[in-house]
Amino acid sequence: MDDKSLENLLPEPLLLLSSEGRVLDMNQAARKAFGGLDNGSKLHDLVNEPAKLEASIRLWVRSGEFLRGLVVVTSVAGERYITYGARLWVDRSSPAQVIVRCYVESAANRRFVEITRRVNALNREIACRQQAENQLFAEKELAQVTLNSIGDGVITTDIEGRVNYLNPVAEALTGWSADEARGLQLIEVFRLFNEQTREPVENPLGHVLVHGNTVGLANHTMLRHRDGTEFAIEDSAAPIRDREGRLIGGVMVFHDVTHARRLAAKVSYQASHDGLTGLLNRRAFEQRLHSLLDAPVGVDGSHSLMFLDLDQFKVVNDTCGHLAGDALLRMLGPVLQKHLRQSDLLARLGGDEFGVLLQDCSVSAATRIARALKEELENLNFTWEGKPFRVGLSIGQVNFTDNSWSLADLLSAADNACYLAKENGRNRIHLYSMDDQALAHRFRQTQWVGRIRDAFEENRFCLHSQTIVTTASASSARPDQEGGHFELLLRLLDTDGKLVEPMAFIPAAERYSLMVSIDQWVLETAFAKLARAGSNCVSTCSINLSGASLGDEGFLTFIYSCFERFAVSPRVICFEITETEAIANLSKARHIIQTLKALGCRFSLDDFGSGMSSFGYLKNLPVDYLKIDGTFIKNLASDPIDRAMVAAINNIGHVMGLKTIAEFVESASVLQELGELGVDYVQGYGIARPEPLETYLANLKKGDYHQPQPGLH
């Protein structure tokens, strides 16, 4: 909740609670009413029955609509407040939060109790009118002034439910004057109905006159004015007794809550609808889908879920700005809706993603609807300030039956199918099937997300190192004389203790935005180990940076903090970035390279030669090393084209004053060819296999530089 909603949305006290009942925030009315309650304290401090409060919170956490709580809370001034609560939805991963609205109970009770007291006093005075006529007149006038002055409507009746009196507020809300209503049955004057069902509601005063106890109105009660105008009201009905305690009538005290209820309805609407398009939001859409999965099998039992992703939407935003993108998104609701049935659901799930739920829909009908939606977007002409745009629609579709899926698996299937629709060329429909190998691969990727997060929590990532040597000394397998030169390699230990190669989990980490966290872990861990071992025995430690980190605004700051916290010289650190990632983030890559080179760091351009315009972009990247793509190295000794490519890359690198590194060196023949071509450094299983970083650094510290002979592995 923002400040505006807290301070101005509702005049009643409003509290935001955690699922444990701890106050997270409150509005001004709450601060005034509960002066001793601060953010962080527990609401239990204001109630006499904590167990009922716990039960109320559990009830509210499960509800998306406001429900009345089991307890009342008491203000500093002794005011008692009725509580209504509902869960506040942010996103599926956020902890549960509850919004609690507080309505004054004591004030309303005091009003009708005071009214009842005065009415009883008035009747007692009438009974003894002959004895104290002057005093009775004064009391009657006082009661009349009170009833006429309060802001609530008041109606009194006799024992048979006939109206005796209406105050001015009651006259205004019912449309009946006191004179016209006197003697009529209350149900003729005070006409109640349910806001949702539109059915008549039993008048609470009838219960009072039969049972003699105080009652209140049910939720969603409306009062119909004589001219048909409707008011949302809250009220209480109480008995009127004479001095002997005999029931002689009843009193209704009620007030107009139309404005408050509209605000509450607005809050509820905003909680379930997208603010830009007016469509259902993700939370409401998933709730409806969950309800469908839990419901008994319907007449047909066949349904279809579609995830829709706009193609080329980024072009609209980048070309004309977000105002144009927002206008396009607003247009899409009616455009898509016209191809859906009355019972179908359309929701905006976020960004340029939409969801469609076709309930009780045959497979053939669902297929026709999906095609109609795609064709509609293909033919849509969107123009902004004279610029025409064409957009497409990638659709992931899952046909399912009741109770055959869990909500999480169904959403994941639709999301993965939509991703494959985009990956396979965009503007197409990908239908989920159980034997779809591409979808199975995507499912494995999504499963890796949880495993990666578990690995972080359980500290199961580890670092290995692989030696890089000069071609001049590779035959004797000695590293640079000034210290070890190596590349850091990331590994993951599975739950059974086995090493997992990076390519098993890195694609999932890249897809689901986990690479920045992984890069930060690598940097912090590597710097800590280098500082402990002493970096004086290291000449070059090469550390890979992902494209996500190159584009992250706070990554430079993180690198600075690592140099500040650990005793590692920038001169031993060489950051390694791939050619394709550097080209994709060219301006940011140049900024990071120039900034860190000013500190003394070096840079290596990895997988060089794999891009489409390698040499053209190379002039714009001030790197120190070119690492020749391994696909050219593996068959170097037998493929003349690969040899020519390596020679060209090596020559242009040397012309530009750069050192060259060949990776994937696995045989003596390849090593010999690289030496003849003049490549500066080599790396691969033929030189040295990866080993734990701690082991490598310990050997360096002891002066043990021995490495296996190339070509033996």
Side-chain angles (χ1 to χ4, degrees), residues 108-175:
N109 288 341
R110 282 201 304 272
R111 285 196 294 270
F112 75 76
V113 168
E114 176 65 16
I115 292 164
T116 303
R117 186 187 68 79
R118 293 189 180 278
V119 171
N120 286 334
L122 180 60
N123 282 282
R124 286 194 297 271
E125 290 299 327
I126 292 174
C128 58
R129 178 178 355 185
Q130 298 302 321
Q131 300 176 10
E133 186 172 348
N134 290 337
Q135 182 180 357
L136 175 61
F137 181 79
E139 287 291 332
K140 182 178 179 180
E141 284 298 305
L142 179 59
Q144 194 75 29
V145 170
T146 301
L147 295 175
N148 289 343
S149 300
I150 64 174
D152 286 7
V154 178
I155 301 177
T156 64
T157 71
D158 60 18
I159 190 64
E160 295 179 354
R162 290 189 292 266
V163 175
N164 286 332
Y165 168 79
L166 283 78
N167 75 343
V169 175
E171 290 180 328
L173 292 177
T174 64

Side-chain angles (χ1 to χ4, degrees), residues 527 530-532 534-535 562-569:
F527 274 51
L530 288 172
R532 282 197 297 270
S535 58
C562 288
F563 281 119
E564 291 172 357
R565 289 183 288 136
F566 302 103
V568 175
S569 170

Side-chain angles (χ1 to χ4, degrees), residues 269 274-280 326 329-331 333-334 347-348 354:
Y269 179 87
D274 173 53
L276 177 65
T277 63
L279 300 174
L280 288 177
D326 289 349
L329 293 175
R330 282 193 295 268
M331 175 193 294
R348 183 187 177 202
F354 294 82

Side-chain angles (χ1 to χ4, degrees), residues 539-602:
S539 69
T540 305
C541 172
S542 186
I543 303 175
N544 290 278
L545 292 184
S546 68
S549 293
L550 290 177
D552 186 73
E553 297 294 337
F555 202 74
L556 264 180
T557 303
F558 180 81
I559 294 176
Y560 281 135
S561 73
C562 288
F563 281 119
E564 291 172 357
R565 289 183 288 136
F566 302 103
V568 175
S569 170
R571 298 188 179 279
V572 307
I573 300 298
C574 177
F575 291 109
E576 194 166 304
I577 57 178
T578 66
E579 176 193 0
T580 52
E581 289 170 343
I583 292 172
N585 300 276
L586 188 59
S587 61
K588 291 183 177 179
R590 287 188 62 188
H591 173 67
I592 288 179
I593 292 173
Q594 291 168 347
T595 303
L596 293 178
K597 281 178 71 71
L599 288 180
C601 300
R602 286 168 287 166

Side-chain angles (χ1 to χ4, degrees), residues 60-364:
W60 295 336
V61 165
R62 295 193 299 269
S63 174
E65 296 184 357
F66 282 98
L67 298 178
R68 182 168 177 169
L70 305 177
V71 294
V72 296
V73 293
T74 306
S75 71
V76 176
E79 290 272 20
R80 286 165 57 84
Y81 286 84
I82 299 172
T83 56
Y84 288 81
R87 180 166 180 166
L88 179 66
W89 293 88
V90 181
D91 60 56
R92 296 172 59 192
S93 62
S94 299
Q97 296 180 358
V98 173
I99 184 169
V100 179
R101 293 166 47 199
C102 304
Y103 293 101
V104 175
E105 176 194 66
S106 57
N109 288 341
R110 282 201 304 272
R111 285 196 294 270
F112 75 76
V113 168
E114 176 65 16
I115 292 164
T116 303
R117 186 187 68 79
R118 293 189 180 278
V119 171
N120 286 334
L122 180 60
N123 282 282
R124 286 194 297 271
E125 290 299 327
I126 292 174
C128 58
R129 178 178 355 185
Q130 298 302 321
Q131 300 176 10
E133 186 172 348
N134 290 337
Q135 182 180 357
L136 175 61
F137 181 79
E139 287 291 332
K140 182 178 179 180
E141 284 298 305
L142 179 59
Q144 194 75 29
V145 170
T146 301
L147 295 175
N148 289 343
S149 300
I150 64 174
D152 286 7
V154 178
I155 301 177
T156 64
T157 71
D158 60 18
I159 190 64
E160 295 179 354
R162 290 189 292 266
V163 175
N164 286 332
Y165 168 79
L166 283 78
N167 75 343
V169 175
E171 290 180 328
L173 292 177
T174 64
W176 291 83
S177 69
D179 291 337
E180 290 175 315
R182 189 173 293 112
L184 296 178
Q185 287 292 319
L186 180 64
I187 58 174
E188 297 181 54
V189 176
F190 198 65
R191 296 183 295 166
L192 302 177
F193 65 96
N194 184 276
E195 179 181 20
Q196 298 175 337
T197 66
R198 312 302 293 179
E199 294 294 326
V201 172
E202 181 184 1
N203 197 300
L205 198 58
H207 182 89
V208 170
L209 296 176
V210 172
H211 300 284
N213 59 337
T214 301
V215 271
L217 273 180
N219 292 333
H220 307 294
T221 300
M222 302 289 289
L223 170 65
R224 183 170 287 122
H225 190 277
R226 196 175 181 181
D227 65 5
T229 306
E230 298 173 353
F231 300 96
I233 63 166
E234 291 180 353
D235 81 345
S236 294
I240 301 175
R241 301 181 185 275
D242 62 16
R243 65 175 61 191
E244 283 78 27
R246 292 190 298 267
L247 186 66
I248 60 173
V251 57
M252 292 281 302
V253 181
F254 56 97
H255 60 282
D256 181 7
V257 293
T258 304
H259 180 65
R261 195 171 291 177
R262 284 175 181 167
L263 287 177
K266 183 178 180 182
V267 171
S268 178
Y269 179 87
Q270 291 174 342
S272 60
H273 288 74
D274 173 53
L276 177 65
T277 63
L279 300 174
L280 288 177
N281 59 20
R282 177 182 285 271
R283 182 181 71 87
F285 184 76
E286 291 182 1
Q287 282 181 334
R288 296 285 293 274
L289 182 57
H290 187 271
S291 299
L292 176 62
L293 293 175
D294 284 348
V297 176
V299 176
D300 189 321
S302 297
H303 318 293
S304 186
L305 173 66
M306 290 186 281
F307 273 17
L308 285 55
D309 193 300
L310 290 183
D311 300 326
Q312 305 303 321
F313 178 72
K314 190 174 185 297
V315 174
V316 178
N317 270 343
D318 291 347
T319 305
C320 299
H322 290 284
L323 286 178
D326 289 349
L328 174 58
L329 293 175
R330 282 193 295 268
M331 175 193 294
L332 288 181
V335 167
L336 298 174
Q337 196 76 58
K338 67 183 182 181
H339 294 287
L340 302 179
R341 304 168 304 168
Q342 189 69 29
S343 59
D344 297 335
L345 292 182
L346 173 64
R348 183 187 177 202
L349 305 181
D352 59 348
E353 297 178 348
F354 294 82
V356 172
L357 177 59
L358 309 176
Q359 186 173 349
D360 294 322
C361 184
S362 66
V363 172
S364 59

